[in-house]
């Protein structure tokens, strides 16, 4: 029988979907104040994968990815998601989000994102927050899973995640 052990720490990664550059700057400032310095600035990509967010946030959306210097315990993901949800609410206008903040973590073997929405492929963590496996790392590199989001299949994003993985 295997004895339970604490897992290795993970790197906090956050994807931010935005339209307004000034609001992005305010969001990044708030995230740095809460989680510490950004270690790697990832790519900024055009978010053309779905129109799901257009009615709420707008058209011609961009998404930026960042990784933080401080490693995290994996079990704090629910509190991180609750913080980013509160930040989205703080920056909302007329009950519509103006920015979407997607936190997750990266380990040697996987990328996991947090969500407040239940789906069959998400695992409940605590406090109304679920975890979703997005990517798996194997000897051949990143491998998509059935529900890997299109933005996490982007070559620039995969390269960013590889850079983050090297900092573990």
């Amino acid at each position: 029988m295997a004895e339970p052990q604490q897992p290795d720490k993970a790197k906090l990664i956050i994807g931010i979907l935005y339209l307004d550059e000034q609001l992005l700057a305010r969001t990044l400032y708030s995230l740095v104040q809460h989680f510490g310095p950004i270690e790697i600035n990832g790519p900024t990509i055009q978010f053309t994968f779905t129109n799901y967010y257009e009615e709420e946030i707008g058209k011609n959306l961009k998404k930026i990815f960042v990784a933080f210097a401080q490693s995290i315990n994996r079990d704090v993901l629910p509190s991180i998601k609750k913080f980013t949800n509160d930040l989205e609410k703080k920056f909302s206008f007329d009950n519509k989000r103006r920015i979407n903040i997607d936190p997750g973590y990266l380990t040697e073997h996987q990328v996991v994102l947090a969500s407040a929405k239940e789906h069959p492929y998400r695992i409940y963590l605590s406090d109304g927050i679920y975890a979703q496996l997005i990517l798996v790392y194997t000897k051949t590199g990143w491998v998509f899973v059935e529900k890997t989001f299109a933005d996490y299949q982007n070559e620039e994003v995969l390269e960013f995640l590889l850079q983050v993985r090297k900092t573990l």
Side-chain angles (χ1 to χ4, degrees):
M1 170 174 65
E3 290 295 322
Q5 298 178 9
Q6 279 296 102
D8 291 337
K9 289 190 174 196
K11 294 301 275 194
L12 173 60
I13 58 170
I14 296 182
I16 306 168
L17 188 65
Y18 70 99
L19 185 61
D20 181 321
E21 297 282 344
Q22 291 180 335
L23 183 56
L24 171 65
R26 290 175 58 200
T27 301
L28 287 169
Y29 178 81
S30 296
L31 293 171
V32 167
Q33 292 300 304
H34 195 78
F35 299 117
I38 292 172
E39 183 172 36
I40 301 174
N41 284 300
T44 299
I45 61 172
Q46 292 295 113
F47 192 81
T48 58
F49 311 104
T50 178
N51 60 2
Y52 178 83
Y53 299 96
E54 284 184 3
E55 185 177 326
E56 187 174 24
I57 301 174
K59 294 184 179 189
N60 301 315
L61 296 172
K62 295 179 185 175
K63 189 165 187 177
I64 188 170
F65 297 83
V66 294
F68 291 82
Q70 183 67 36
S71 295
I72 61 166
N73 291 322
R74 300 179 203 188
D75 59 1
V76 302
L77 191 57
S79 66
I80 291 170
K81 180 62 177 170
K82 289 173 78 175
F83 174 80
T84 59
N85 279 359
D86 289 345
L87 202 53
E88 288 178 1
K89 287 176 191 169
K90 175 182 173 182
F91 294 139
S92 291
F93 182 75
D94 280 345
N95 291 323
K96 289 186 177 184
R97 289 182 298 173
R98 296 173 45 222
I99 200 152
N100 181 43
I101 309 166
D102 288 326
Y105 64 72
L106 181 145
T107 70
E108 181 181 359
H109 304 290
Q110 59 201 195
V111 173
V112 174
L113 296 182
S115 178
K117 297 178 215 148
E118 183 175 13
H119 283 286
Y121 47 87
R122 293 182 180 153
I123 297 171
Y124 184 72
L125 298 175
S126 67
D127 300 322
I129 304 301
Y130 299 81
Q132 181 174 338
L133 179 66
I134 297 296
L135 293 165
V136 175
Y137 193 84
T138 68
K139 292 178 184 176
T140 60
W142 293 114
V143 176
F144 308 138
V145 296
E146 182 180 349
K147 296 295 181 179
T148 300
F149 297 125
D151 48 338
Y152 282 85
Q153 296 179 38
N154 176 285
E155 285 299 321
E156 290 179 272
V157 175
L158 293 170
E159 180 59 35
F160 159 72
L161 295 170
L162 191 58
Q163 288 180 312
V164 176
R165 188 177 181 275
K166 290 176 183 176
T167 68
L168 291 172

